Each structure stands twice: as C-alpha cells, then as structure tokens.
Amino acid sequence: MNTALWIITGLLTAVYLFSGFGKLFVPREKMAAMAKAARWVLDFQPGTLKAIGALEVLGAAGLILPAVLDVAPMLVPLAATGLALIMTGAVIMRIRRGETKAALGDAGYLALAAFVAIGRFALEPLTG
C-alpha cells in the first residue's frame, strides 16, 4: 500500500506542478488555443487562474516535501484533500460546460487525490 501511495503521489505531484506552473506563466489566450479542452480558462480572470495555479503548485509541494523532509508529514493528506477539493470544482465546471470527457479525466485525478488523502490519513499514515 505504501508503494502504491508513493507512486500515485509522485504522479500527482508531476501533474499538478506542470498544470500549476502553466496557469502561472502561460497567458490564458495562449493556453486556450492549445487544446479544445483548455478553453475553460477563458471563463476566468487571469488573477483567478494564477490563484488556481499557485494552489496547485503549493498542493504539489505539500504532497512530497513534508514526507521527504520528515517535517510535519501530516500535511501530506491535507494537501491531497485540498487538491481533491480543487478537482471537485473542476469536475463541476466541466459538467456545467458540457465537457463530459474532460470531466471524466478530472474525476480520475480527483479519485487519485482522494486515494492519497485516505491512504495517508488512515491506511498507511506517514507518522506512527
């Protein structure tokens, strides 16, 4: 279980770092032009996108750094919970926009973040 949690945590960290830095540094018009599934960014102000990106980067750091540095490892499941909440909002937004396939993808990331949160809270905590 611990190995599975670490693998999923690593995957989520990479995804959220990439996604978060993209929202922080890529202009929303350029992001919207990259793919049809990225047009949702035009529904939000640039400041809102930057806030979402910053939360994703902080969440990604919170998934790994507390465990690796052994400083407040209880932050790992809290970060996973926060990312699950972000993805809940993403799924709701996708459903409202009628983007069912993208909503399923976001729901997958939601499920992975929830798995890490539950796993680190109850199944295989990082603290004794």
Side-chain angles (χ1 to χ4, degrees), residues 2 9 14 38 41 43 65 75 90 104 110 112 116-117 126:
N2 189 47
T9 298
V41 298
D43 293 346
L65 292 179
L75 292 177
L104 290 174
L110 167 61
L112 291 174
V116 171
L126 291 167

Side-chain angles (χ1 to χ4, degrees), residues 58 73 102 106:
L58 289 172
D106 289 343

Side-chain angles (χ1 to χ4, degrees), residues 6-121:
W6 272 110
I7 290 169
I8 294 169
T9 298
L11 169 74
L12 289 176
T13 299
V15 167
Y16 287 113
L17 281 175
F18 181 75
S19 174
F21 280 124
K23 289 178 186 79
L24 285 172
F25 299 114
V26 177
R28 72 181 185 147
E29 291 76 17
K30 186 174 181 181
M31 200 181 316
M34 288 181 186
K36 185 178 179 183
R39 291 189 190 146
W40 67 270
V41 298
L42 298 175
D43 293 346
F44 292 88
Q45 296 297 321
T48 304
L49 288 176
K50 292 199 183 308
I52 294 169
L55 289 172
E56 288 178 350
V57 169
L58 289 172
L63 286 175
I64 292 287
L65 292 179
V68 170
L69 300 176
D70 197 27
V71 176
M74 186 51 145
L75 292 177
V76 172
L78 293 175
T81 301
L83 290 170
L85 290 172
I86 288 173
M87 294 316 297
T88 300
V91 169
I92 292 168
M93 183 263 315
R94 297 283 195 179
I95 291 170
R96 285 183 177 173
R97 289 178 51 89
E99 299 173 351
T100 308
K101 288 183 183 178
L104 290 174
D106 289 343
Y109 288 118
L110 167 61
L112 291 174
F115 175 73
V116 171
I118 293 167
R120 289 302 181 199
F121 270 129

